[in-house]
């Protein structure tokens, strides 16, 4: 009854106790399937710069058949590093679509990292060459680490891993994190690293092209994460014109992603490929790009899985929320 309504709060530690890689992978595949079948809606994204120096955004959507409604409020506050904190901040809220009442508020930081990595893994499984042996990752931060971990799961044939750091110097923390898995080495020359790689992952703040067009070789696949706001990019001019482009969402990619720089270039959506609505056959020399802007449905479906798991396990904090 309205007077007895409660709201579940799930903080970082509660989520850590129930969130697994397998759960997130299943939820993200579920989200792309819903999107490809147009059973889930993605509402227009809010993404705005703040006078504080941060960027604030809202991604929202619903799945009527599953009584799923909600949003993620998230953004990037670079000054958090000075406080010893994470610059990416996110909070997810789920609502009862029948009443509009909130049912759960959860920390979205780890969810965002995990669901983005799961999307990258799915993109590699569907789009990259299965026999890929070499990879270059741009960035050494939280998302770069998550994407490289996902790539090692998706492509067990990987043998050579190079990374490009923001200052061109070795990142011992990054190297130590992966030494037992792949022993990544610093790339002294970004163009040479791209030219020698079967897979390239760009996980940077999206401040501009990271390599030259001339470095791109036939057969290379690119997972692009950093372009998620108007004006951001990581790929060089002309690359989208010669590649086979796949986006997570048409509208978001052409307004916020790499596709904003070449909006007329034809592309498919990953959800249409995984549901069979679009046929994708990779040829050996194809250059492929997965333009990842991040779907609200990824956040909401992962949030739904976690909410159900928390309720089943009795985790989190219930607080009165009468109306």
């Amino acid at each position: 009854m309205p007077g007895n309504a409660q709201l579940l709060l799930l903080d970082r530690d509660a989520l850590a106790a129930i969130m697994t890689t397998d759960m997130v992978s299943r939820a993200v595949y579920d989200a792309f399937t819903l999107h490809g079948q147009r059973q889930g809606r993605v509402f227009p994204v809010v993404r705005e710069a703040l006078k504080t120096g941060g960027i604030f955004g809202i991604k929202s959507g619903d799945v009527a058949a599953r009584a799923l409604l909600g949003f993620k409020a998230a953004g990037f506050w670079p000054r958090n590093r000075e406080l010893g904190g994470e610059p990416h901040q996110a909070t997810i809220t789920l609502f009862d679509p029948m009443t509009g009442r909130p049912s759960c508020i959860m920390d979205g930081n780890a969810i965002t990292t995990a669901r983005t990595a799961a999307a990258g893994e799915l993109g590699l499984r569907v789009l990259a060459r299965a026999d890929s042996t070499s990879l270059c990752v741009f960035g050494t931060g939280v998302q770069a680490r998550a994407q490289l971990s996902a790539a090692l799961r998706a492509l067990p044939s990987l043998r050579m891993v190079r990374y490009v750091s923001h200052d061109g110097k070795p990142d011992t923390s990054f190297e130590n994190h992966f030494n037992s898995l792949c022993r990544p080495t610093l790339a002294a020359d970004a163009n040479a690293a791209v030219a020698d790689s079967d897979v390239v992952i760009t996980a940077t703040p999206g401040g501009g092209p990271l390599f030259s067009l001339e470095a791109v070789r036939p057969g290379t696949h690119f997972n692009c994460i950093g372009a998620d706001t108007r004006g951001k990019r990581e790929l060089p001019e002309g690359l989208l014109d010669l590649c086979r482009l796949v986006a997570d969402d048409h509208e978001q990619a052409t307004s916020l992603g790499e596709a904003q720089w070449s909006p007329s270039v034809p592309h498919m959506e990953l959800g249409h490929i995984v549901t069979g609505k679009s046929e994708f056959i990779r040829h050996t020399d194809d250059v492929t790009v997965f333009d990842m802007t991040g779907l609200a449905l990824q956040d909401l479906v992962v949030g739904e899985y976690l909410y159900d798991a928390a309720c089943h396990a009795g985790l989190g904090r219930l607080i009165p929320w009468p109306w």
Side-chain angles (χ1 to χ4, degrees):
M1 297 296 291
N4 298 323
Q6 293 181 310
L7 174 65
L8 180 63
L9 303 181
L10 295 174
D11 63 13
R12 176 194 63 188
D13 296 334
L15 293 172
I18 53 177
M19 187 166 65
T20 66
T21 299
D22 180 64
M23 173 196 288
V24 176
S25 295
R26 287 186 286 108
V28 166
Y29 186 88
D30 194 3
F32 275 104
T33 299
L34 290 167
H35 190 52
Q37 295 173 338
R38 292 302 187 258
Q39 293 183 26
R41 294 190 298 172
V42 174
F43 304 150
V45 173
V46 173
R47 189 81 172 170
E48 299 293 338
L50 304 176
K51 292 183 178 180
T52 61
I55 296 175
F56 177 70
I58 297 175
K59 291 182 176 180
S60 57
D62 73 347
V63 183
R66 295 194 3 191
L68 180 59
L69 171 70
F71 69 84
K72 180 176 76 175
F76 185 72
W77 284 265
R79 293 178 184 172
N80 285 3
R81 293 193 182 98
E82 301 170 10
L83 305 174
E86 168 57 43
H88 291 91
Q89 291 295 315
T91 303
I92 295 171
T93 303
L94 303 180
F95 297 87
D96 176 359
M98 296 297 294
T99 65
R101 298 290 297 172
S103 55
C104 183
I105 297 176
M106 61 186 75
D107 188 306
N109 288 1
I111 294 173
T112 300
T113 299
R115 65 82 152 150
T116 308
E121 180 176 352
L122 181 59
L124 291 176
R125 292 185 185 277
V126 174
L127 305 173
R129 286 165 35 208
D131 62 350
S132 296
T133 61
S134 55
L135 178 148
C136 176
V137 56
F138 285 81
T140 60
V142 172
Q143 192 51 236
R145 297 184 185 201
Q147 290 294 328
L148 178 52
S149 296
L152 293 170
R153 292 191 298 270
L155 301 170
S157 58
L158 287 174
R159 297 291 180 268
M160 173 71 71
V161 174
R162 302 177 185 87
Y163 71 94
V164 179
S165 61
H166 74 281
D167 57 5
K169 298 179 181 179
D171 188 323
T172 55
S173 175
F174 181 81
E175 292 180 8
N176 291 338
H177 185 80
F178 289 101
N179 266 343
S180 64
L181 298 174
C182 63
R183 295 190 177 277
T185 59
L186 177 69
D189 184 296
N191 284 336
V194 170
D196 290 339
S197 296
D198 299 317
V199 173
V200 177
I201 297 172
T202 58
T204 76
L210 300 172
F211 51 89
S212 69
L213 180 62
E214 292 70 28
V216 179
R217 297 290 181 263
T220 309
H221 173 74
F222 295 85
N223 263 11
C224 304
I225 294 95
D228 59 0
T229 304
R230 290 186 300 273
K232 282 189 174 186
R233 73 184 309 172
E234 296 176 306
L235 301 181
E237 184 73 28
L239 177 53
L240 296 189
D241 296 309
L242 59 83
C243 78
R244 296 182 67 187
L245 178 61
V246 176
D248 50 13
D249 180 79
H250 170 76
E251 295 297 332
Q252 287 185 195
T254 53
S255 61
L256 305 173
E258 289 292 343
Q260 69 182 284
W261 304 101
S262 298
S264 62
V265 170
H267 60 269
M268 292 183 282
E269 288 189 359
L270 187 64
H272 286 158
I273 296 175
V274 299
T275 58
K277 286 191 173 182
S278 296
E279 183 180 34
F280 179 87
I281 299 175
R282 168 179 255 289
H283 304 291
T284 303
D285 289 342
D286 285 342
V287 175
T288 50
V289 171
F290 183 26
D291 193 358
M292 300 171 56
T293 57
L295 295 178
L297 290 176
Q298 294 170 236
D299 301 304
L300 298 185
V301 177
V302 174
E304 178 189 40
Y305 276 47
L306 289 166
Y307 176 63
D308 290 344
C311 290
H312 180 75
L315 293 176
R317 180 186 175 192
L318 282 168
I319 62 172
W321 203 259
W323 54 296

